[in-house]
Amino acid sequence: MLSWLEETSNLEELASSMIQNGFFDHEPLIVRTTPDPQKYVVVEGNRRFATIQILLQTDAAVAADLEFDFEVEPTAEQLDLIRVVPCVVVTSDAEVRKFLGYRHIGGIKTWSAEAKARYLETEVEGAAAAGSVNPFKDVGKRVGTNALGVRGPYLALKTLKVARDDLDLGETARTVLRERFGVWNRLLNSAEVRTFIGLGDAMDYAAIQSRLTQLSRPNLKMVLDDLVPQAGTRLALLQDSRDVTTYGRVLANDAAREALIVYRDLDLAAQVADGSTLPQKLRNITKSLDLLVRNIDSFEIGSSEVEAAASLFNMARSLNVLVKDRLDGED
């Protein structure tokens, strides 16, 4: 554990702060009692505790061969300031969960979106097992948020677990959970996205459990795939949570969704879903082309540019023929 914290956290910066300022008494360690009255388990403040161990070269730090490399070694007086630090002692798992939930969900020291969701899932399942009529509301009260603030992360995590464990979407689901969970959580705030993957408008605990067994694997796969880079691409199709509203509108529109599948371009698909008339769409395209013509000297021209322009010209001619044919047919 000590080695892992040293590798994954910036403990050296924390150590420098402790040497200069000592331990901040207003942020005590939270420790849990154990059957041995002389031993405690640190449940909050492990980075700070690990830093202290390395600075003081405790047996655990020496055994792990961990030490900080400072240009100027700390003095004995500086180290004495961190030999005794304030702690708050809790005596039960319930106290631990209550404290961590309030501090990291609704408090000032919030966890990552994934960490919040994992904690909330445990609390919701526990409340439901204990007979809570509305576990989302009850857990929300304990951690300083509302039912929506609990339900959203819970639903996002549970849906990914179903995708991973039951729908054979393990690799993609794990990637989204590990790297894109914040965007995924935001996605499930969209009614269009929830409807598309089969969650619908389920709000209470029992309805959500039922809906989780009725998810559409193909649709869920499509949405998850859009969150991770595909073969031959460097970026995911859905890169930013600010695009969620647009993405939801595209999913809800058959023609726009088909355009998204074919061209893998959210902006293009959004144009299909925006409800503009054909003349409006053509005027927008014309403006874009006019801008290209005006700035043609700013581009380097080669064979690929000539081919692209020829393709555009041919497509414009085809569109012109189709529009005229439609008009003649209506006459």
Side-chain angles (χ1 to χ4, degrees):
M1 178 67 170
L2 194 60
S3 296
W4 180 81
L5 283 169
E6 196 275 335
E7 290 174 2
T8 59
S9 304
N10 188 5
L11 298 187
E12 193 150 332
E13 182 177 314
L14 188 55
S16 296
S17 175
M18 284 188 181
I19 291 170
Q20 296 299 320
N21 306 299
F23 190 93
F24 292 120
D25 290 348
H26 66 281
E27 285 201 13
L29 301 179
I30 310 301
V31 298
R32 168 78 155 85
T33 56
T34 70
D36 184 341
Q38 300 300 315
K39 294 182 178 180
Y40 298 85
V41 175
V42 177
V43 296
E44 172 71 10
N46 278 289
R47 289 178 64 251
R48 286 172 288 153
F49 185 54
T51 302
I52 291 171
Q53 289 191 80
I54 297 173
L55 281 171
L56 297 180
Q57 285 294 282
T58 63
D59 291 343
V62 172
D65 194 26
L66 298 175
E67 60 181 332
F68 296 121
D69 183 18
F70 296 118
E71 290 185 6
V72 179
E73 290 297 314
T75 65
E77 290 77 10
Q78 288 173 320
L79 294 178
D80 284 342
L81 292 176
I82 59 172
R83 292 187 187 279
V84 178
V85 298
C87 297
V88 173
V89 179
V90 293
T91 59
S92 69
D93 291 339
E95 281 188 85
V96 171
R97 291 197 303 271
K98 183 176 180 180
F99 173 84
L100 292 180
Y102 183 80
R103 182 174 176 81
H104 293 291
I105 304 297
I108 61 173
K109 203 167 185 178
T110 57
W111 280 324
S112 67
E114 178 197 351
K116 284 184 182 180
R118 291 186 184 280
Y119 171 83
L120 291 172
E121 180 199 21
T122 300
E123 292 301 294
V124 167
E125 299 296 2
S132 171
V133 176
N134 189 340
F136 303 119
K137 181 178 180 180
D138 291 343
V139 171
K141 286 181 178 179
R142 291 206 301 267
V143 301
T145 187
N146 55 26
L148 180 62
V150 175
R151 186 189 302 111
Y154 172 86
L155 187 59
L157 181 60
K158 295 295 283 190
T159 304
L160 284 180
K161 284 190 171 183
V162 170
R164 181 192 66 192
D165 300 334
D166 302 333
L167 299 180
D168 195 28
L169 298 173
E171 182 177 349
T172 306
R174 280 189 287 270
T175 300
V176 172
L177 179 62
R178 184 175 61 250
E179 300 176 10
R180 306 299 309 281
F181 187 79
V183 179
W184 172 248
N185 188 24
R186 173 73 178 83
L187 265 176
L188 291 195
N189 288 332
S190 164
E192 293 90 349
V193 174
R194 292 197 306 271
T195 298
F196 183 69
I197 66 175
L199 280 173
D201 58 357
M203 299 291 285
D204 64 76
Y205 180 82
I208 287 174
Q209 306 313 309
S210 176
R211 283 289 188 174
L212 286 171
T213 66
Q214 304 173 48
L215 297 177
S216 167
R217 184 187 185 280
N219 291 0
L220 181 56
K221 181 180 186 304
M222 174 182 169
V223 176
L224 292 177
D225 283 345
D226 287 344
L227 284 170
V228 299
Q230 298 302 297
T233 64
R234 188 172 60 87
L235 299 174
L237 185 146
L238 188 61
Q239 299 177 40
D240 196 308
S241 62
R242 289 172 293 186
D243 294 327
V244 165
T245 301
T246 299
Y247 184 75
R249 289 203 309 268
V250 167
L251 291 184
N253 183 295
D254 291 343
R257 187 170 66 250
E258 182 64 24
L260 184 68
I261 293 171
V262 172
Y263 296 105
R264 303 293 296 167
D265 187 322
L266 183 58
D267 290 335
L268 181 63
Q271 293 177 31
V272 179
D274 69 6
S276 299
T277 64
L278 181 58
Q280 289 173 325
K281 292 181 184 295
L282 292 177
R283 280 194 290 270
N284 288 336
I285 293 173
T286 301
K287 290 177 183 177
S288 296
L289 292 175
D290 181 62
L291 188 61
L292 284 176
V293 171
R294 291 172 181 271
N295 293 278
I296 193 65
D297 290 339
S298 65
F299 298 98
E300 292 186 5
I301 303 299
S303 59
S304 60
E305 285 73 22
V306 172
E307 290 176 7
S311 176
L312 178 62
F313 176 73
N314 290 331
M315 189 63 69
R317 290 181 61 183
S318 297
L319 177 62
N320 186 48
V321 171
L322 289 171
V323 170
K324 285 184 176 181
D325 286 347
R326 283 285 301 275
L327 180 62
D328 293 341
E330 291 175 1
D331 291 341

